[in-house]
Amino acid sequence: MSLTLIIGNKNYSSWSLRPWIAMKAAGIPFAEVVIPLYAPGSAEQILKYSPAGKVPILIDGDDTIWESLAILEHLAERFPDAKLWPSEPRARGFARSAATEMHGGFQPLRQHCTMNLWLPVKARPMPPEVLANMRRIETLWADCRARFGKNAKEGGPFLFGAFGNVDAMYAPVVARFHNYGLPVSADTRAYMEAVMATAAWREWYAAAMKETWVMQGNEPDWPLVRGV
Ligand SMILES: N[C@@H](CCC(=O)N[C@@H](CS)C(=O)NCC(=O)O)C(=O)O
């Protein structure tokens, strides 16, 4: 049964990046449909696929799965060999908590550092609540690495060893920390570099650089040129 992932434009759509990068990193084949966000008619286009009116949406044969975390769970069930969750139960429990903390939290970071891959990379002053989010995420990533990542059977530089669902959930945070120049530690930076070096990340980024849709209106100070 073929899979189609409906996503927003790659420059802005942080939620879309999550299942997209998980599927690419795991080598799961899929077709993609890109709907430019917040453009005339985009809401109607999204509604054709899901009454929830948000991307990402996964079409799996006759089934529609929406909400990024539900899509990641679906993929993990559908493709057990991809090991999108860690195979060890204690690591898996921790991984699910970390992924859910991202799905429901970090509102200040999401609000002040909206994903925009075109944004020139530059340190920007941030309110304390964003820095508090950053510190919590750094502690969480360090915990994942120290407790489960470093000695994982499926090894690698990612949070639980091999790239999986938790890395996918936090991939847009990597973009935010990077573009907005947040003052992260050397260990955090090393993890960010590992994510940004993946073939999947580079493919998404290259496609985002070719996009031309500019979100109108709500962020007047966003640059209209591509960043580095
Ligand atoms: N909780 C949802 C959030 C999805 C979401 O907010 N998607 C945004 C794009 S990143 C969207 O579809 N916006 C279109 C709109 O609100 O009209 C998830 O995890 O998938």
Side-chain angles (χ1 to χ4, degrees):
M1 202 74 78
S2 67
L3 299 174
T4 302
L5 189 65
I6 320 299
I7 57 174
N9 41 318
K10 293 187 169 114
N11 185 44
Y12 300 134
S13 189
S14 59
W15 292 108
S16 302
L17 170 57
R18 293 169 165 110
W20 190 99
I21 199 167
M23 291 168 89
K24 284 281 171 175
I28 299 168
F30 64 100
E32 70 177 45
V33 173
V34 180
I35 300 177
L37 294 177
Y38 313 115
S42 60
E44 291 74 17
Q45 281 192 67
I46 298 173
L47 285 169
K48 278 194 220 151
Y49 295 98
S50 161
K54 303 266 186 215
V55 288
I57 303 157
L58 181 70
I59 312 289
D60 183 354
D62 292 335
D63 297 322
T64 298
I65 320 290
W66 69 103
E67 286 287 329
S68 52
L69 194 48
I71 296 172
L72 292 175
E73 285 287 3
H74 180 80
L75 293 168
E77 269 188 30
R78 178 94 149 65
F79 300 94
D81 292 347
K83 296 196 165 62
L84 288 167
W85 294 120
S87 44
E88 198 270 307
R90 286 183 56 239
R92 200 158 57 243
F94 201 95
R96 284 201 163 104
S97 301
T100 309
E101 186 176 351
M102 175 67 251
H103 195 244
F106 305 122
Q107 204 57 44
L109 178 71
R110 283 157 53 188
Q111 183 192 332
H112 291 277
C113 304
T114 315
M115 192 172 95
N116 178 357
L117 297 172
W118 296 351
L119 197 65
V121 175
K122 177 173 106 183
R124 294 170 166 80
M126 284 294 154
E129 57 272 27
V130 173
L131 297 174
N133 279 177
M134 180 196 80
R135 282 192 293 273
R136 165 63 195 142
I137 292 169
E138 290 200 277
T139 306
L140 174 66
W141 287 357
D143 255 13
C144 294
R145 285 290 305 154
R147 295 179 60 179
F148 305 107
K150 286 206 166 119
N151 303 313
K153 201 166 70 187
E154 295 96 19
F158 302 106
L159 296 175
F160 292 80
F163 194 97
N165 276 348
V166 187
D167 303 289
M169 280 305 286
Y170 283 90
V173 171
V174 168
R176 291 169 161 133
F177 282 2
H178 181 68
N179 282 92
Y180 291 82
L182 267 67
V184 295
S185 70
D187 283 352
T188 300
R189 172 53 62 182
Y191 169 68
M192 289 163 57
E193 296 295 340
V195 172
M196 292 191 289
T198 60
W201 176 283
R202 291 204 310 267
E203 186 181 334
W204 176 279
Y205 183 85
M209 291 304 116
K210 289 195 191 125
E211 288 177 346
T212 54
W213 301 293
V214 174
M215 200 186 287
Q216 299 294 333
N218 55 347
E219 298 285 349
D221 56 342
W222 278 9
L224 304 186
V225 292
R226 291 166 184 73
V228 285

